């Protein structure tokens, strides 16, 4: 059994350790097939993804050569496998990925599971998302983002990561673990200064920790940043948290506060 990891630099692991994929074209090829998550990719799309504007002569032959090379590489890693991992279909080439073999698919599945669970079991949700977020070793594909399809996939998986962080913080705050989350919330807000939900969660955690002035300073800085960068005002949700802090709204200190429900 192989495992494929893209939440960080591309990795393929076997029971004996990591396998090397050499060459930019081969990495582009397998990354494109991976992010398609079992769906066939038309040959012309693969050619564009691999070579961009620098198209080779005899594109079909060049692509088939790289497909054959990838098949041989994967076969060498699974010599007992009866069928090739990469197969050709009427609509294109497909990489077979089994359950549990692809970290990005497992990660997005965990986020969807947490979203479906809502606030029914915050301890389980916090644990599930903590484990899922630990899969990330760095930016998707590391320093090799690839072509357009791979870049779009990077953005998609990164958005799932942001959502996972929000949902985990929500669960932790409902469990009254605001003090334990302060450092991570500060980091999330600093790294994503236009993500208003992180700002709201940080403000609530600060307020619950007896730091009302700091919570309001975070809001003022966010308001100024939104104005300077985007020319907009804070969202109604963010303003609601500020008003609740100013009014010492009792709901802010309740684990199930309405203000802490996902936006």
């Amino acid at each position: 059994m192989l495992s494929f990891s893209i939440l960080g630099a591309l990795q393929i692991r076997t029971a004996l350790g990591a396998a090397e994929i050499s060459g930019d074209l081969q990495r582009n090829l397998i990354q494109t097939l991976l992010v398609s998550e079992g769906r066939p990719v038309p040959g012309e799309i693969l050619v564009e993804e691999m070579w961009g504007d620098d198209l080779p002569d005899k594109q079909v032959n060049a692509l088939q050569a790289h497909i054959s090379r990838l098949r041989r590489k994967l076969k060498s890693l699974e010599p007992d496998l009866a069928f090739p991992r990469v197969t050709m279909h009427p609509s294109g080439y497909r990489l077979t990925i089994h359950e549990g073999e692809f970290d990005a698919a497992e990660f997005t599945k965990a986020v969807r599971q947490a979203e479906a669970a809502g606030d029914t079991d915050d301890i389980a949700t916090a644990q599930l998302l903590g484990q899922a977020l630990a899969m990330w070793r760095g930016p998707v594909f590391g320093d090799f983002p690839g072509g357009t399809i791979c870049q779009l996939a990077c953005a998609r998986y990164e958005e799932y990561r942001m959502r996972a962080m929000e949902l985990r913080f929500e669960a932790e705050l409902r469990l009254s673990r605001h003090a334990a989350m302060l450092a991570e919330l500060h980091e999330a807000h600093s790294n994503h200064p236009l993500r208003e939900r992180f700002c709201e969660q940080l403000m609530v955690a600060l307020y619950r920790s007896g730091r009302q002035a700091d919570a309001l300073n975070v809001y003022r800085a966010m308001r100024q940043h939104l104005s300077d960068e985007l020319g907009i005002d804070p969202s109604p949700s963010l303003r609601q948290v500020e008003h609740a802090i100013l009014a010492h709204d009792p709901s802010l200190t309740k684990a199930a506060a309405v203000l802490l429900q996902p936006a």
Side-chain angles (χ1 to χ4, degrees):
M1 177 176 174
L2 299 181
S3 66
F4 302 91
S5 301
I6 64 167
L7 302 180
L10 172 67
Q11 283 188 354
I12 302 177
R13 300 192 68 84
T14 72
L16 300 178
E20 183 71 22
I21 297 294
S22 59
D24 290 355
L25 291 173
Q26 282 285 291
R27 284 200 296 274
N28 259 334
L29 173 58
I30 193 166
Q31 287 180 178
T32 305
L33 292 170
L34 280 169
V35 300
S36 300
E37 297 190 13
R39 297 182 299 274
V41 184
E44 59 270 23
I45 298 298
L46 287 173
V47 167
E48 182 178 342
E49 196 76 2
M50 291 169 67
W51 283 279
D53 294 329
D54 190 20
L55 296 176
D57 296 330
K58 299 182 179 178
Q59 298 172 19
V60 173
N61 291 342
L63 175 60
Q64 289 176 346
H66 278 281
I67 292 288
S68 296
R69 179 180 167 189
L70 180 59
R71 280 178 177 150
R72 289 194 300 271
K73 177 65 177 181
L74 296 178
K75 179 64 175 177
S76 73
L77 302 177
E78 298 179 296
D80 296 330
L81 195 66
F83 301 97
R85 283 272 183 169
V86 181
T87 51
M88 186 175 182
H89 299 262
S91 53
Y93 293 93
R94 176 178 180 269
L95 173 65
T96 298
I97 308 171
H98 302 296
E99 186 80 15
E101 290 185 336
F102 183 35
D103 64 346
E106 294 303 299
F107 178 77
T108 54
K109 182 171 70 174
V111 178
R112 294 189 190 109
Q113 182 179 336
E115 287 185 314
D119 59 359
T120 57
D121 188 344
D122 291 321
I123 292 176
T125 293
Q127 182 178 18
L128 171 68
L129 292 175
Q131 293 170 346
L133 287 162
M135 295 181 188
W136 286 73
R137 298 170 287 108
V140 179
F141 303 133
D143 297 324
F144 191 80
T148 301
I149 289 177
C150 290
Q151 290 168 23
L152 290 172
C154 287
R156 182 172 72 253
Y157 294 131
E158 180 65 20
E159 183 59 33
Y160 269 106
R161 187 170 77 91
M162 294 299 99
R163 186 61 178 145
M165 292 170 68
E166 290 175 348
L167 289 168
R168 176 172 170 254
F169 290 144
E170 298 288 352
E172 298 283 9
L173 287 172
R174 284 195 296 267
L175 292 166
S176 297
R177 295 173 179 170
H178 44 274
M181 288 293 104
L182 269 176
E184 290 186 58
L185 279 166
H186 270 295
E187 182 179 13
H189 177 54
S190 296
N191 290 340
H192 307 279
L194 296 177
R195 192 98 180 178
E196 291 188 70
R197 195 60 185 162
F198 290 151
C199 182
E200 294 173 24
Q201 293 168 324
L202 175 58
M203 289 168 63
V204 171
L206 287 167
Y207 180 80
R208 288 185 176 183
S209 301
R211 297 169 59 182
Q212 177 180 350
D214 289 339
L216 293 173
N217 284 337
V218 167
Y219 173 79
R220 295 186 189 106
M222 181 70 169
R223 180 180 61 193
Q224 188 64 49
H225 193 65
L226 289 170
S227 177
D228 292 344
E229 293 293 321
L230 303 177
I232 62 174
D233 294 324
S235 67
S237 178
L238 184 54
R239 294 198 302 270
Q240 182 186 10
V241 175
E242 184 224 11
H243 293 157
I245 290 172
L246 289 170
H248 297 281
D249 190 326
S251 69
L252 283 174
T253 59
K254 297 177 182 177
V258 172
L259 292 172
L260 297 183
Q261 297 305 309

